[in-house]
Amino acid sequence: NAGVTQTPKFRVLKTGQSMTLLCAQDMNHEYMYWYRQDPGMGLRLIHYSVGEGTTAKGEVPDGYNVSRLKKQNFLLGLESAAPSQTSVYFCASSSLRRNEQFFGPGTRLTVL
Amino acid sequence: GENVEQHPSTLSVQEGDSAVIKCTYSDSASNYFPWYKQELGKGPQLIIDIRSNVGEKKDQRIAVTLNKTAKHFSLHITETQPEDSAVYFCAASLRMGGTSYGKLTFGQGTILTVHP
């Protein structure tokens, strides 16, 4: 099992550009999450999904959109990137029976 | 919403010493407290967790204690080794079920360095 995978691993954008981060999990987990990690601030929840076709806002959702068209995939979109979105983005998944979240390796995004 | 404070932000110890990281939480409804370890260039990985009906839990060299009244919990690592060097995060959540959906609120992280 690959667990949770994220693509791409690194990306540099210019202000105003758009991009989509892809998260995939092969553990048949119902729940999936997107976090951003910034120095001194821990991980903050952007959006999450409790099942195929459903998404909800987390702590810091502004400037991001998500979609979960398939159970195994969770996409994070930036429609118009801003320098404040420079961060490391992590995807995670968990089953509905256990609290443990399994994290992907992260995507380092720089917005110039 | 929940707020989790973690201290210290950095911790440096000699190999073989013990390390303690402390967290406080604000929401008395939280009942699940995991600890994650993040190695350089990787995603966080769960190392131990505790539920609110338990005061202490041990797993080999690591242990977690919980004081519900004071709303704080701590990670204890004994006989530290260089491979324990990493960033450690505490978190708080409601247990899976209902409308909590396992959402975690993380502390700010502690950079632990174990010197050989």
Side-chain angles (χ1 to χ4, degrees):
Chain A
N1 288 349
V4 180
T5 58
Q6 293 182 234
T7 53
K9 288 184 169 47
F10 304 94
R11 186 73 186 268
V12 178
L13 290 179
K14 295 182 179 179
T15 296
Q17 288 185 318
S18 64
M19 79 162 294
T20 300
L21 283 67
L22 172 64
C23 175
Q25 52 96 4
D26 61 2
M27 295 173 282
N28 200 34
H29 284 166
E30 291 78 11
Y31 298 159
M32 296 186 74
Y33 314 85
W34 275 108
Y35 294 90
R36 60 177 289 171
Q37 182 178 21
D38 302 292
M41 302 185 75
L43 291 95
R44 292 180 292 168
L45 183 64
I46 304 171
H47 286 280
Y48 64 101
S49 169
V50 301
E52 185 176 319
T54 69
T55 63
K57 294 180 180 180
E59 180 186 353
V60 288
D62 294 342
Y64 305 95
N65 56 76
V66 288
S67 64
R68 191 156 177 214
L69 300 179
K70 293 182 179 181
K71 185 178 183 179
Q72 63 268 33
N73 295 337
F74 195 26
L75 278 64
L76 178 72
L78 287 73
E79 290 187 346
S80 180
S84 61
Q85 294 177 304
T86 294
S87 188
V88 181
Y89 292 86
F90 287 98
C91 174
S93 71
S94 67
S95 74
L96 56 78
R97 293 178 186 80
R98 291 192 58 191
N99 280 91
E100 180 178 4
Q101 292 188 16
F102 293 83
F103 283 81
T107 295
R108 183 173 295 276
L109 175 65
T110 302
V111 183
L112 302 176
Chain B
E2 175 66 276
N3 183 52
V4 178
E5 297 288 333
Q6 181 173 346
H7 299 281
S9 57
T10 61
L11 181 59
S12 182
V13 300
Q14 290 295 128
E15 183 177 0
D17 288 348
S18 295
V20 180
I21 304 170
K22 299 181 179 181
C23 290
T24 60
Y25 62 99
S26 62
D27 189 348
S28 57
S30 291
N31 54 16
Y32 173 71
F33 307 94
W35 286 88
Y36 283 80
K37 176 183 181 181
Q38 184 180 26
E39 297 178 341
L40 195 62
K42 297 183 178 180
Q45 185 172 11
L46 180 72
I47 54 172
I48 195 167
D49 57 15
I50 191 167
R51 305 187 187 281
S52 60
N53 57 348
V54 175
E56 183 176 4
K57 183 177 179 180
K58 289 184 179 180
D59 183 2
Q60 298 183 351
R61 296 187 297 109
I62 60 174
V64 58
T65 59
L66 171 66
N67 184 326
K68 283 187 62 180
T69 303
K71 289 192 280 189
H72 66 72
F73 56 111
S74 301
L75 178 71
H76 304 255
I77 306 175
T78 59
E79 300 173 16
T80 53
Q81 301 168 2
E83 50 265 39
D84 294 329
S85 295
V87 182
Y88 290 81
F89 291 98
C90 62
S93 173
L94 292 173
R95 286 180 63 178
M96 195 66 79
T99 59
S100 71
Y101 305 122
K103 290 178 291 181
L104 295 173
T105 301
F106 284 87
Q108 295 84 352
T110 296
I111 302 172
L112 173 64
T113 304
V114 180
H115 299 282

